[in-house]
Amino acid sequence: MTENKKVISNFFVIEGLDGAGTTTQAKKLATELTDSIFTWEPTNSDFGKMLRQILSQNLPIDKITLAHLFATDRSNHLYNETGILNQCKTHKVFCDRYILSSFAYQSIDVNEEIVLSLNKDFPIPQITFFIDTPVDICMQRIEKRDNREIYEHTELQLKIREKYLKGIEIFKKLGWNINIIDGTKNIDEIFIDICKYL
């Protein structure tokens, strides 16, 4: 993976396992900080809706095609008229998941180099936060949900956490600003820890 050249100012990404609290924190940041927007991946575009069908086990697809579809959804998310690049000109954008998630989840079944190659030209967030919440806590939260997605099982989540940690090492070497946040704390404490970097 070649080094990404462009860092997007005002673009902040919240990463973590399923049930780690990424959505909660991204929404809270966008709500409580001025001139801020919440967004997420997979998006609510047609590409993102297809991805959610796949993740909900309602649409079978091979894993390499899935990795390409995530990259397509991300490209549209970044570059369309109302996308991240334009939003960041006037607002802070807090995104629930980005490239690090693709590496962690998709490289379970797809060669790491393929996943990295698909995402190599996308720009870098100003700061990425990884909420490191233990798998057992995440699974307790997941078990309260009505439906599980394809990755929401203990054995897979353990593997995904290891991929996250490996991805963090890779992306830091490429110049990413990544901060690991203690996910065992409560919602407000995690919010305060993130805000210290902002």
Side-chain angles (χ1 to χ4, degrees):
M1 184 176 185
T2 57
E3 184 176 357
N4 287 297
K5 301 295 183 183
K6 184 175 181 180
V7 176
I8 308 178
S9 297
N10 293 326
F11 180 37
F12 306 96
V13 173
I14 315 297
E15 297 275 14
L17 296 172
D18 293 291
T22 61
T23 304
T24 297
Q25 290 300 323
K27 284 183 176 178
K28 186 174 177 64
L29 288 157
T31 300
E32 298 198 19
L33 301 182
T34 58
D35 296 322
S36 298
I37 293 172
F38 166 68
T39 190
W40 62 91
E41 293 186 358
T43 67
N44 60 355
S45 70
D46 289 341
F47 303 114
K49 289 173 183 175
M50 185 182 298
L51 281 165
R52 293 187 186 283
Q53 286 290 311
I54 295 164
L55 295 175
S56 299
Q57 307 180 61
N58 295 322
L59 183 62
I61 196 170
D62 70 274
K63 301 300 184 183
I64 293 180
T65 302
L66 179 61
H68 279 82
L69 188 54
F70 266 103
T72 300
D73 186 46
R74 178 164 299 128
S75 181
N76 184 60
H77 193 199
L78 284 162
Y79 301 118
N80 71 42
E81 289 183 4
T82 58
I84 289 169
L85 289 182
N86 281 323
Q87 289 177 327
C88 285
K89 293 175 182 177
T90 54
H91 295 81
K92 300 180 191 73
V93 175
F94 292 94
C95 187
D96 180 8
R97 302 191 182 281
Y98 190 56
I99 295 172
L100 186 55
S101 278
S102 284
F103 180 83
Y105 284 78
Q106 291 155 35
S107 69
I108 294 291
D109 299 300
V110 178
N111 184 285
E112 289 179 2
E113 291 303 318
I114 293 175
V115 179
L116 291 171
S117 178
L118 285 171
N119 292 279
K120 68 182 177 63
D121 294 323
F122 293 134
I124 303 173
Q126 183 173 337
I127 307 177
T128 297
F129 299 97
F130 174 63
I131 302 177
D132 192 10
T133 307
V135 171
D136 59 337
I137 294 176
C138 291
M139 290 308 302
Q140 289 171 16
R141 296 170 181 171
I142 289 169
E143 286 167 3
K144 296 177 183 178
R145 300 174 182 174
D146 293 332
N147 298 304
R148 285 196 186 184
E149 294 185 346
I150 57 175
Y151 295 109
E152 293 178 344
H153 301 278
T154 301
E155 290 184 6
L156 275 175
Q157 290 294 305
L158 288 167
K159 291 178 181 178
I160 289 164
R161 182 177 181 276
E162 291 304 311
K163 289 286 190 177
Y164 261 123
L165 296 177
K166 183 176 182 180
I168 288 169
E169 290 183 10
I170 291 171
F171 292 124
K172 277 189 171 183
K173 290 177 182 176
L174 295 174
W176 287 48
N177 182 357
I178 303 176
N179 296 286
I180 298 177
I181 303 295
D182 182 358
T184 64
K185 296 182 179 182
N186 66 41
I187 291 171
D188 289 334
E189 289 172 330
I190 293 172
F191 176 78
I192 290 169
D193 284 349
I194 291 173
C195 286
K196 289 176 184 176
Y197 294 95
L198 301 175

